[in-house]
Amino acid sequence: MSQIADQEHGKFKVFAGKLGANNELGELADKVSAFAAENKIAAKSIGVEYLESSESLIITLGYRDDEEHYPIKLETVNLGKMDIGQDFSALEQKMSDASGSVNKIICHELFVTEDKDFLMVFMTHQ
């Protein structure tokens, strides 16, 4: 069984760019994966923030450089448009359903576009 200490990290890399077609991460996902591979880091977390004013995305990658590297990939799943109010059960179900279409999830993030598209970003082990 893994230990929580294996997940702890304190190093970060920031990436920024425009969303691709259909609100996909496009080149941003490739840049994150390439950084992890080229620098032989162990990715631990991601942060995702959508900036409506510039229609761009900021991705932060949390990592460690003192353990063995493993390849990662960022995958986006569009959950659709939602008006969630105070009841998050429909969103939670869509998130769970989305995770069933992705293998080896390390972590996830959720972001919402100005058009109220809810998108999940999964960081996966390849």
Side-chain angles (χ1 to χ4, degrees), residues 13 15 28-44 61-65 67-74 123-126:
K13 177 71 176 166
F15 304 85
L28 268 175
D30 296 337
K31 288 179 182 179
V32 174
S33 297
F35 173 83
E38 292 165 7
N39 292 280
K40 304 292 185 219
I41 56 99
K44 300 297 180 178
L61 175 67
Y63 66 93
R64 294 177 66 143
D65 60 3
E67 67 179 60
E68 188 175 340
H69 162 73
Y70 44 86
I72 61 161
K73 181 179 178 183
L74 297 186
M123 181 169 68
T124 62
H125 175 240
Q126 295 300 293

Side-chain angles (χ1 to χ4, degrees), residues 3-4 6 14 17 20-21 30 32 40-41 43 52 56 74 85-86 92-93 100 105 110 122:
Q3 301 295 316
I4 190 62
D6 294 339
V14 178
D30 296 337
V32 174
K40 304 292 185 219
I41 56 99
E52 291 87 357
S56 60
L74 297 186
Q86 296 297 316
E92 292 165 346
Q93 185 60 54
I105 298 169
L110 176 71
F122 294 100

Side-chain angles (χ1 to χ4, degrees), residues 54-85:
S54 61
E55 297 180 350
S56 60
L57 209 60
I58 304 291
I59 297 176
T60 58
L61 175 67
Y63 66 93
R64 294 177 66 143
D65 60 3
D66 62 349
E67 67 179 60
E68 188 175 340
H69 162 73
Y70 44 86
I72 61 161
K73 181 179 178 183
L74 297 186
E75 300 182 47
T76 309
V77 177
N78 191 328
L79 305 179
K81 296 181 188 305
M82 285 189 260
D83 184 14
I84 58 174

Side-chain angles (χ1 to χ4, degrees), residues 75-80 91-103 105 108 110 118-122 124:
E75 300 182 47
T76 309
V77 177
N78 191 328
L79 305 179
L91 176 59
E92 292 165 346
Q93 185 60 54
K94 286 191 176 224
M95 292 169 70
S96 293
D97 292 346
S99 73
S101 68
V102 180
N103 294 317
I105 298 169
H108 73 282
L110 176 71
F118 283 67
L119 295 110
M120 289 287 298
V121 179
F122 294 100
T124 62

